[in-house]
Amino acid sequence: MEEQKQAIMEFLEGKKGKSKFYFSDFCKIFPDLKQREVKKFLTALVNEGKLEFWSSGSTTMYGIKGAGKQNAEED
Amino acid sequence: MAKHKTPLLDELESGPWPSFVSDIKMEAEHRHQNPDGLDYQIPVDCPDDLLGVMELSYKDKETHWKHGGIVGVFGYGGGVIGRYCDQPEKFPGVAHFHTVRVAQPAGKYYTTEYLRGIMDIWDLRGSGMTNMHGSTGDMVLLGTTTPQLEEIFYDLTHTMNTDLGGSGGNLRTPADCLGKSRCEFACYDTNAVCHALTNDYQDELHRPAFPYKFKFKFDGCPNSCVAALARSDFSVVGTWKDDIRIDQDRVKAYVAGEFKPNAGAHGSRDWGKFDIVAEVVDRCPTKCMSYDGAKLSIDNSNCTRCMHCINVMPAALKIGEETGASILLGAKAPILDGAQMSSLLMPFVVVEEPYDEIKEIIENIWDWWMEEGKNRERVGETMKRLSFQKLLEVTGIPAMPQHVKEPRSNPYIFFKEEEVPGGWTRDQQAFRERHKS
């Protein structure tokens, strides 16, 4: 689990420009794993406060907590 | 005295129907008077500014809302939809105007005590305005600020023992009709299966990992009171296998005028004497009924369970006794690019606890859609893009005649070679021996 969580964080930290990503983007990091397994890593990272959700209301994305636009800037 | 002049909105109050504009004005007045002495946690003039920003949108003919954001409660990917006004200086009361979705119970059974409890929270920490209910069935609490979200969530879960509903790319709050709790047409217990699946799939409801939204709806019969066929990705619709039960004496009673057709539902107008041939037999979409003046006959093999005859004469006709449900997949009703009805996947399943047969189908579909679905693609679109045959393959359901949607225009099911005994190869010499001329 720790190894995969690290891989997710490295993927996100290596991205420039975008700060929010679809669930499917994370599945591409682990082509041999089922989607439900990938979800467990993301959920763990959300629960640890390292990732946060972004939602338009109809779709949802994940990003590093604090990265990109934050509440104050969304006003 | 209104904070903003709203001449365009005021027009909406002049029609014959109750207007939401009047409701918002009433709430604005109520909050200014504050008869309960509440220490409002969001701006008191929130309803006034809502009217103001709407008036501006009507004038400009474009929205002044910005949707989406990172707002939510800890650990949940859905249930809160961020909304901000792009004119916060002009309308500070709605600078933040986030929506909170509260999960509805199966059958939407509420006590007044519960509803008052919800409104106590919402009057204090939100705008006091609601939408009862949203399209998915949730109670929609309209308009609060970011700092109030965790407070509201705490009160909802700890005081009211309820939860947030679904939003975003996850399972939306499952919805059902009243089912057997109130309705004699129900072919299975919609409330029980809706409640069970809501509990079983909490992770899918709150932690999004789907390409897009996914909705379950449970209709107890083909009358479809929650419109599962039209509105849900996974539609479960009650049906029966055997014959419609006919009480011929009661049929005669309807003809004699002793029972009101449709249980009196259209009784506000005089439609004249009940005509069973014109109002029931000739209305049958498959023409599978006849009435000889004394006896009503139904050719059940041609009945498509449209429910019309049962709806008109509920005291004389009843659904069959071997009941269950049909499962259909792929409906959507989006604002853009058109609606789509569900396609029949399983003609008949018995709906019994612990619902393993239904759950197996759901989970096979999810696994496939999560792997193959594009971002923002509903499962019905994935099904159309990759073929219904592929869907049958991933769910392990064999092709059957009921899967042919339009037999007159396309009666074919395309089988793969491995699905056909002997495959595609055949002995041409032997064929010619049998067909010499």
Side-chain angles (χ1 to χ4, degrees), chain B residues 102-103 114 118 121 153-164:
Chain B
V102 182
Y114 174 88
I118 294 283
I121 297 168
F153 181 57
Y154 185 91
D155 285 347
L156 287 174
T157 48
H158 291 74
T159 311
M160 302 308 299
N161 194 27
T162 191
D163 202 351
L164 296 183

Coordinates of all heavy atoms in Angstrom, one line a residue, chain B residues 102-103 114 118 121 153-164:
Chain B
V102 N -29.1 15.7 1.0 CA -29.4 14.8 2.1 C -30.1 13.6 1.6 O -31.1 13.7 0.9 CB -30.3 15.5 3.2 CG1 -30.5 14.6 4.4 CG2 -29.7 16.8 3.6
A103 N -29.5 12.4 1.9 CA -30.0 11.2 1.4 C -31.4 10.9 1.8 O -31.8 11.2 3.0 CB -29.1 10.0 1.9
Y114 N -38.7 14.6 12.1 CA -37.4 14.6 11.3 C -37.3 15.8 10.4 O -36.3 16.5 10.4 CB -37.4 13.3 10.5 CG -36.2 13.2 9.6 CD1 -35.0 12.7 10.0 CD2 -36.3 13.6 8.2 CE1 -33.9 12.6 9.1 CE2 -35.2 13.6 7.4 CZ -34.0 13.0 7.8 OH -33.0 13.0 7.0
I118 N -34.4 18.7 10.5 CA -33.6 19.1 9.3 C -33.7 20.6 9.1 O -32.7 21.3 8.9 CB -34.1 18.4 8.0 CG1 -33.9 16.9 8.1 CG2 -33.5 19.0 6.8 CD1 -32.5 16.5 7.9
I121 N -31.8 22.8 11.6 CA -30.3 22.9 11.2 C -30.2 23.9 10.0 O -29.3 24.7 10.0 CB -29.8 21.5 10.7 CG1 -29.8 20.5 11.9 CG2 -28.4 21.6 10.2 CD1 -29.6 19.0 11.5
F153 N -22.9 18.8 8.5 CA -22.7 17.3 8.3 C -22.7 16.7 9.7 O -23.2 15.6 9.9 CB -21.3 17.1 7.6 CG -21.0 15.7 7.4 CD1 -21.8 14.8 6.7 CD2 -19.8 15.1 7.9 CE1 -21.5 13.5 6.5 CE2 -19.4 13.8 7.7 CZ -20.3 13.0 7.0
Y154 N -22.0 17.3 10.7 CA -22.0 16.7 12.0 C -23.4 16.6 12.6 O -23.8 15.6 13.1 CB -21.2 17.6 13.0 CG -21.0 17.0 14.3 CD1 -19.9 16.2 14.6 CD2 -21.9 17.3 15.4 CE1 -19.8 15.6 15.9 CE2 -21.8 16.7 16.6 CZ -20.7 15.9 16.9 OH -20.6 15.3 18.1
D155 N -24.2 17.7 12.4 CA -25.6 17.7 12.9 C -26.4 16.6 12.2 O -27.3 15.9 12.8 CB -26.2 19.0 12.8 CG -25.7 20.0 13.8 OD1 -25.0 19.6 14.8 OD2 -25.9 21.2 13.7
L156 N -26.3 16.5 10.9 CA -27.1 15.6 10.1 C -26.8 14.2 10.6 O -27.7 13.3 10.8 CB -26.8 15.7 8.6 CG -27.3 16.9 7.9 CD1 -26.8 16.9 6.5 CD2 -28.9 16.9 7.9
T157 N -25.5 13.8 10.8 CA -25.1 12.5 11.1 C -25.3 12.1 12.6 O -25.7 11.0 12.9 CB -23.6 12.2 10.7 OG1 -22.8 13.3 11.2 CG2 -23.5 12.1 9.2
H158 N -25.1 13.1 13.4 CA -25.1 12.8 14.9 C -26.5 13.1 15.5 O -27.0 12.3 16.3 CB -24.1 13.6 15.6 CG -22.7 13.2 15.3 ND1 -22.0 13.4 14.2 CD2 -21.8 12.4 16.1 CE1 -20.8 12.9 14.2 NE2 -20.7 12.3 15.3
T159 N -27.1 14.2 15.1 CA -28.5 14.5 15.6 C -29.6 13.8 14.9 O -30.5 13.3 15.5 CB -28.7 16.0 15.6 OG1 -27.5 16.7 16.2 CG2 -29.9 16.4 16.4
M160 N -29.5 13.9 13.5 CA -30.6 13.4 12.7 C -30.4 12.0 12.3 O -31.3 11.4 11.6 CB -30.8 14.3 11.5 CG -31.0 15.8 11.8 SD -32.4 16.0 12.9 CE -33.7 15.3 12.1
N161 N -29.2 11.4 12.5 CA -28.9 10.0 12.1 C -29.2 9.8 10.6 O -29.8 8.8 10.2 CB -29.8 9.0 12.9 CG -29.3 7.6 12.8 OD1 -28.1 7.4 12.6 ND2 -30.2 6.6 12.9
T162 N -28.8 10.8 9.8 CA -28.9 10.6 8.4 C -27.6 10.9 7.7 O -26.6 11.1 8.4 CB -30.1 11.6 7.9 OG1 -30.3 11.2 6.5 CG2 -29.7 13.0 7.9
D163 N -27.6 10.9 6.4 CA -26.3 11.0 5.7 C -26.4 11.9 4.5 O -27.6 12.2 4.1 CB -25.9 9.6 5.3 CG -24.4 9.5 5.1 OD1 -23.7 10.5 5.1 OD2 -23.9 8.4 4.8
L164 N -25.3 12.3 3.9 CA -25.4 13.0 2.7 C -25.7 12.1 1.5 O -25.4 10.9 1.6 CB -24.0 13.7 2.4 CG -23.5 14.8 3.4 CD1 -22.2 15.4 2.9 CD2 -24.6 15.9 3.5

